[in-house]
Amino acid sequence: MAAKRVRESIDYQQVNSFSSVVLYNGTKRSRKKGKLYEVERLIERRNKGRVVCSLKYLVLYEKSTSFKPSHLIIFKVKWSYSRPLTPSDDVLLESCREFSVGDVSCLKSASFSPIYLPMRLDVWRFVVHQRGKESNHRGHLMLEKNDVSRLKFLPNNWWYFLNENGEGKAVDFPIKVKPVLSWSPLTFELRKDKLGQAPRMSLEKLKLYILKRPCNVNNLI
């Protein structure tokens, strides 16, 4: 005949008096913090869905660019995307050169096709912040001459050209502009005897549609 199993007695009064600290270790585990990078500027923002959490920013940091989710970027930096900071004079001067040369080259050309000119997109957001009118074409902005006045280093004749006889062509405002982001060609490189995709560079530019009209020294206003 099998021996009876002896049950160990339990003092329920003692169990009831146990502290929850004993039963559950409430100390929080230290979470590893990721590496922090100093953001140089935000190039572009994209939203692949209809919710805020799907927002991503193309970030330039440590001479590298990549899209980062919105929650990884501090609020102060994200705020500067919609309310751009004033660029340095050196950056503005270079932007004015690109804009002026591209505009005059278009006026002197016989083509009616749109032109592309290099322009930092964060600088362009500063230039057209609360300026211009939305076009019927998505992503395009209609601009009058005074709408680009924040490009303060533009030469006085950026919107027309004259020959030695005082005749030429001028911009028939408004102009239609769309900021464009593209990427350098896909290439591959050797890394530790293995073939891998080489980093691609972001290319920032503007797409301009410019109408032209004949002009001379007597009808420039």
Side-chain angles (χ1 to χ4, degrees):
M1 187 174 178
K4 287 186 177 181
R5 187 175 179 181
V6 179
R7 296 182 63 183
E8 185 178 354
S9 61
I10 300 175
D11 188 347
Y12 289 98
Q13 186 176 1
Q14 185 180 6
V15 172
N16 188 53
S17 65
F18 279 167
S19 170
S20 60
V21 176
V22 177
L23 297 176
Y24 307 101
N25 185 2
T27 57
K28 294 183 179 180
R29 293 183 179 180
S30 58
R31 298 178 63 183
K32 293 183 179 180
K33 294 184 178 180
K35 187 177 180 180
L36 297 178
Y37 295 93
E38 183 177 354
V39 175
E40 183 176 334
R41 60 190 179 93
L42 299 179
I43 299 175
E44 193 183 50
R45 179 175 63 189
R46 288 184 176 176
N47 189 2
K48 292 187 176 181
R50 296 185 177 181
V51 292
V52 177
C53 61
S54 62
L55 277 177
K56 289 188 176 182
Y57 292 84
L58 182 60
V59 182
L60 175 62
Y61 61 98
E62 295 188 353
K63 298 182 180 180
S64 177
T65 55
S66 62
F67 277 100
K68 299 295 182 184
S70 176
H71 68 273
L72 295 182
I73 305 171
I74 63 174
F75 178 78
K76 184 178 180 180
V77 176
K78 290 186 290 187
W79 181 265
S80 68
Y81 185 91
S82 301
R83 290 164 177 77
L85 302 176
T86 303
S88 66
D89 282 353
D90 290 340
V91 172
L92 269 180
L93 180 60
E94 182 63 26
S95 300
C96 290
R97 286 173 179 167
E98 298 287 0
F99 193 86
S100 176
V101 170
D103 189 77
V104 173
S105 298
C106 177
L107 290 174
K108 298 184 74 172
S109 170
S111 173
F112 292 95
S113 300
I115 64 167
Y116 291 86
L117 57 89
M119 175 70 68
R120 277 179 42 171
L121 298 187
D122 59 315
V123 174
W124 185 244
R125 288 195 300 273
F126 160 77
V127 172
V128 297
H129 180 57
Q130 296 182 340
R131 300 281 181 94
K133 295 181 180 179
E134 293 290 337
S135 169
N136 293 330
H137 298 95
R138 184 178 178 182
H140 293 74
L141 199 62
M142 307 299 293
L143 298 172
E144 299 292 343
K145 183 170 67 172
N146 292 333
D147 288 333
V148 294
S149 60
R150 292 186 181 128
L151 289 172
K152 60 182 181 179
F153 298 114
L154 281 176
N156 293 330
N157 65 333
W158 71 268
W159 58 280
Y160 68 89
F161 86 93
L162 298 173
N163 59 20
E164 63 274 11
N165 298 318
E167 298 176 336
K169 292 181 181 179
V171 175
D172 191 7
F173 291 97
I175 59 176
K176 186 166 71 171
V177 187
K178 180 183 180 181
V180 176
L181 176 69
S182 60
W183 297 88
S184 59
L186 177 62
T187 59
F188 292 83
E189 63 181 0
L190 281 175
R191 300 177 191 167
K192 298 180 180 179
D193 298 328
K194 291 184 179 180
L195 186 64
Q197 182 176 324
R200 302 178 71 182
M201 295 180 292
S202 58
L203 306 175
E204 305 166 65
K205 48 194 171 183
L206 298 179
K207 184 179 183 181
L208 273 71
Y209 296 83
I210 298 178
L211 296 179
K212 313 166 192 177
R213 63 176 178 85
C215 70
N216 55 49
V217 292
N218 298 318
N219 63 6
L220 282 175
I221 300 176

